[in-house]
Amino acid sequence: MTPTRLGRWVRGYTYWLKSGRSPRRTRQPPIVRTDLPTIDDTVSLSFLELMELRVVMGFVNKGVPLQRVRVAARRIGELFGTAHPFADRRVFTDHEQVFVGLSAVESQPDLLQVSGRRATLQLIAGRILAHYVEEIDFDATTSLAKRWFPCGRDVPIVLDPHISFGAPVLVGTRIRTDILALYASGNPARTVGRAFELTSAQVGAAIDFEAQLAHAA
């Protein structure tokens, strides 16, 4: 995701609407609303807001028009009284419309369409956005997103806001991937593994993950 696109999604944007004889300036509100204050024009994102952006990107990649995603976010917020609609409930798509699970804990709940002209109850078979949802653990009590596996559950890396302030760590540990990659830059992976009591696979996963981050930057 480019910084420009991210900024439009969390800050909103203005544009000229050319209708009639005189164009007028129109503003689109943000899709994901941030709780943290903007300091020196810098936007900070909480873990929940990061998860919402991940879901929005998932919808866009599936071909869902951004305006429908915007409508869905607003309706989910109104229906369930949440400030984080895409991190509060499991959401799904058929590549055209957006649906929200009525149950916060069931893996295949009844779905409510929230992106059309009106909200309608529909039963949809299967989880069409399962790939994105399965990267995220939801709290059984609050229903909010609580952990994120950025590379999928097959890669032992997780972001948990209660561990290392949400920095990427190896699953089951508090060892940050950036620290492992830093040590590995001057030492063989086997030596790093012995020092931190990790397997070669764990060290390799951390190094590969940090390399992906560096490439993306």
Side-chain angles (χ1 to χ4, degrees), residues 19-125:
S19 61
R21 295 183 178 180
S22 56
R24 57 188 176 86
R25 197 170 185 83
T26 303
R27 175 169 176 78
Q28 284 283 13
I31 301 176
V32 174
R33 299 183 182 277
T34 57
D35 294 330
L36 301 175
T38 299
I39 300 176
D40 294 332
D41 204 36
T42 298
V43 175
S44 298
L45 298 172
S46 71
F47 177 77
L48 293 179
E49 292 150 7
L50 178 63
M51 294 302 95
E52 289 190 278
L53 288 167
R54 180 70 179 100
V55 172
V56 172
M57 177 62 86
F59 282 133
V60 171
N61 288 343
K62 291 289 186 180
V64 181
L66 192 60
Q67 184 57 28
R68 291 183 186 172
V69 178
R70 190 186 305 278
V71 170
R74 175 175 55 80
R75 284 187 174 159
I76 294 173
E78 293 172 351
L79 286 168
F80 298 102
T82 175
H84 301 285
F86 291 145
D88 183 84
R89 297 270 164 166
R90 290 173 171 82
V91 286
F92 311 86
T93 184
D94 59 358
H95 295 253
E96 293 184 2
Q97 303 296 339
V98 178
F99 305 84
V100 62
L102 293 181
S103 169
V105 295
E106 293 180 15
S107 61
Q108 296 188 23
D110 292 347
L111 303 182
L112 188 69
Q113 181 179 322
V114 288
S115 58
R117 294 184 176 179
R118 59 181 180 177
T120 57
L121 180 63
Q122 295 192 20
L123 298 179
I124 306 297

